[in-house]
Amino acid sequence: MLKLQRWFSRNQLFEQVVCKKAGHVDHAFGSHPFSSGVGIPGQKFTNTVPKNENDRVYAAYNVYKGKAGVSMFPCLPTFTKLESGSLVIDRRGSILLTFFPAIGERKYDWTKKQFFSLNPTEVGTLISLGPRDSCEFFHDPGMLSSTAGQVRKSLSIKAHADGNGYFISLNVVNNTQSTKEFLSVPFTAGEFSVMKTACSFALPHILGWDRLTKPSLGMEKGFQPNKVNREGLSLEWKR
Amino acid sequence: MLKLQRWFSRNQLFEQVVCKKAGHVDHAFGSHPFSSGVGIPGQKFTNTVPKNENDRVYAAYNVYKGKAGVSMFPCLPTFTKLESGSLVIDRRGSILLTFFPAIGERKYDWTKKQFFSLNPTEVGTLISLGPRDSCEFFHDPGMLSSTAGQVRKSLSIKAHADGNGYFISLNVVNNTQSTKEFLSVPFTAGEFSVMKTACSFALPHILGWDRLTKPSLGMEKGFQPNKVNREGLSLEWKR
Amino acid sequence: MLKLQRWFSRNQLFEQVVCKKAGHVDHAFGSHPFSSGVGIPGQKFTNTVPKNENDRVYAAYNVYKGKAGVSMFPCLPTFTKLESGSLVIDRRGSILLTFFPAIGERKYDWTKKQFFSLNPTEVGTLISLGPRDSCEFFHDPGMLSSTAGQVRKSLSIKAHADGNGYFISLNVVNNTQSTKEFLSVPFTAGEFSVMKTACSFALPHILGWDRLTKPSLGMEKGFQPNKVNREGLSLEWKR
Amino acid sequence: MLKLQRWFSRNQLFEQVVCKKAGHVDHAFGSHPFSSGVGIPGQKFTNTVPKNENDRVYAAYNVYKGKAGVSMFPCLPTFTKLESGSLVIDRRGSILLTFFPAIGERKYDWTKKQFFSLNPTEVGTLISLGPRDSCEFFHDPGMLSSTAGQVRKSLSIKAHADGNGYFISLNVVNNTQSTKEFLSVPFTAGEFSVMKTACSFALPHILGWDRLTKPSLGMEKGFQPNKVNREGLSLEWKR
């Protein structure tokens, strides 16, 4: 149990950091005004464009509905380069969900956004859901720190009774500020299919397995990544 | 509802532009005479080869049947480069379907082609169809403009009663010209399986997610695209 | 019907050419002695290594059973470069199956190999088979030529009654030589799962869709392949 | 049967070599202390970082549970370059599973790790398992050598009765040392979904099919890898 909680904690810390960061630049990945996914060109955000972030790509998949919207995109893992030249994964990637409430027809209040970061196992759960399945994930951003229990987030994915779509809802309870926020976005079967297909595509990448299977560009000695020295085996076999 | 309609509008405008363009050069992507998918080498088109279109690739998947044929291929999203060097998605990609009527045995009238562009959510709907499921999509090319309602298109995908294939049919009603066109192509289970597999493959690409997960070529600083600055997190964690 | 037959013909011609070629060099792709898939190191072939074929990769998936074996690997499509610089697909790719009879314990007679080349739609049929489904494909290598009907090939994929595997069998009737050959390889559910997964992976590549979705390497102007000129659209939208 | 055993033998030899190697450097791929998958930062290993292994990437997917944990990552195939410049697959890739027992709360005894290497067909079996299916694989590391039968390993994947997860268990019987080891890790449906998705992604790569479908980087003559010389065919066709 504690094990799970520690993971939740890391996830939530991550979400906090993203929040703080977003607070400074008034911006979050995947929620860029230019990347309005399903095409609502009229909406206006006051976000500023991020600076000093070269080579970023903004291409979130967004679903806008009457009471709220949600934006999703993958965060790749980070690697550390050892002296030997090997790369060791430092932190797993995730799928970051950003929820935001509607404040009018096709207008959304971006300053009230809430984050929920899906770890690989949560992504695995999501993509294995059948048309009548549901699931719920719990995160505590302050877990294992002095702020443990102050904020509690839960994400629920609940199938429609007719098996023809889902409600994806985020619940954030802040005990310190005595606030509760509930943001719920209905997904059609088609929208959920996009989410599942995109998350299935992204999962090996957020695990870092795309790096395991690709030779390094332009490096001949990188030709057989993860090659195990099998001379002993071959010798033994030829006898 | 309006939200949906606006999207439809953009889609349809796109289809109009493709049509106009095709009108000039007597050609459309994916319908190139050289790319006759399932192999009807005898067919003759009067299309000319497009000019000034470097680095294009023509590789449509085509299904030719007795009364009509259809050609499909993915259109990638377009990106805008910000001053910071970041790329922001400008317009989502799509799967463009081109229908054309038969005018004889293995002859098709390319000048009467009709377009229908599937947005990501429509692609998601298509790839989630079971062997007995059906769906229908509606587009209005003039939506939100002075020509709204003049042309109405609907694409229906309807499973055979025995679950062993589909009819994919395009209906175009032009109220101004008082014309109706109906182009229907029966798909075997195998042909639909190709369409589903190819569209599933293409979906992350038309969302632009392949860019999120690939490091930039030859750029060391591009090593961790979409890396979130997590120093704060790490510091907090180590305490 | 004729349409189908013409396709068959092209396929079969392809198979003939491969056969002839293989006859000269005593070798076929995917059947290289070094690439003995599921590990039968003791087997001896008299094949010679091909010459003048730089940059080839041999990595067939092979299934060896008591009475026969089969080897499979994807053939990529070929493209023609237009003067404009565009690439037009010239010939679809396929999955080439090579069957060979057993002549003893873990020994196979490579000189009696038979080819069957799966086109994209046949691959689509194969990967959509459920655990109790079956299918059959017919090819006539001489179709539409003076040798039409001389050789008839059929490939059948037949589920075991218990849904726990398949028989994949090739039947070749040569009316000129009055010979019949029947090569049948039982596949476990796991082996068929490998075949389905590998063929699903290969399908977009044999259609050439991987080229549609990848920007050209090192070409800045290749950044938005298949980009449709949408200025007109954008202008219209902004009004 | 013998055929299967020989394969098992090769696999097991591989596992032995990995073990021996790991014994020297006190380390195994995928089990690197930095790559603690599901986030148990407090755990302490005494492993040293491997030396002289440039360009390696460590990104295992790890599942830690109360009594044991398991780590998995793909091993790519190795290729031999022929004089002609062609690449011939030398040895198939695999998915290497590393099991290790728990010795306390979130502490694992890495020195007691056990390996099991899944060949492509076993990976195919795993990814085709339904929510109530089970399977078992047997390996004998000493097969066909003088140590045959001394060590016997079996890996069982057994669905929970409620269809909501699996037990993945490794049994190692060493008749020489008269030891038996049993390491079992319960997988949630989400964790198994990650394993299936990651293994499906990896399967074409461990077969080497990713190399068949990718043109060589920067080589114009590598534009049509595996292109079959079809001039004869084309000529015949045009008649």
Side-chain angles (χ1 to χ4, degrees), chain B residues 144-161:
Chain B
L144 293 186
S145 79
S146 58
T147 60
Q150 288 184 1
V151 177
R152 293 197 174 277
K153 296 182 180 182
S154 68
L155 182 85
S156 87
I157 305 177
K158 202 172 174 176
H160 295 342

Side-chain angles (χ1 to χ4, degrees), chain A residues 182-203:
Chain A
F182 180 73
L183 296 161
S184 186
V185 182
F187 271 59
T188 65
E191 287 158 349
F192 197 71
S193 166
V194 173
M195 191 179 185
K196 278 176 75 165
T197 304
C199 285
S200 297
F201 169 81
L203 184 52

Side-chain angles (χ1 to χ4, degrees), chain A residues 56-128:
Chain A
R56 282 280 169 67
V57 181
Y58 299 92
Y61 176 58
N62 303 331
V63 175
Y64 299 98
K65 291 297 165 71
K67 297 194 175 170
V70 65
S71 170
M72 70 197 73
F73 76 101
C75 292
L76 294 188
T78 58
F79 288 85
T80 299
K81 197 164 194 164
L82 302 183
E83 281 184 28
S84 67
S86 298
L87 294 173
V88 175
I89 200 163
D90 182 36
R91 190 173 297 276
R92 296 283 152 194
S94 61
I95 303 287
L96 184 64
L97 305 180
T98 308
F99 289 79
F100 37 87
I103 51 171
E105 203 182 342
R106 290 193 311 281
K107 284 184 182 168
Y108 298 90
D109 185 353
W110 197 251
T111 65
K112 293 194 178 158
K113 61 187 172 296
Q114 295 281 356
F115 299 95
F116 200 92
S117 180
L118 297 169
N119 68 44
T121 301
E122 290 164 343
V123 172
T125 301
L126 186 154
I127 63 180
S128 68

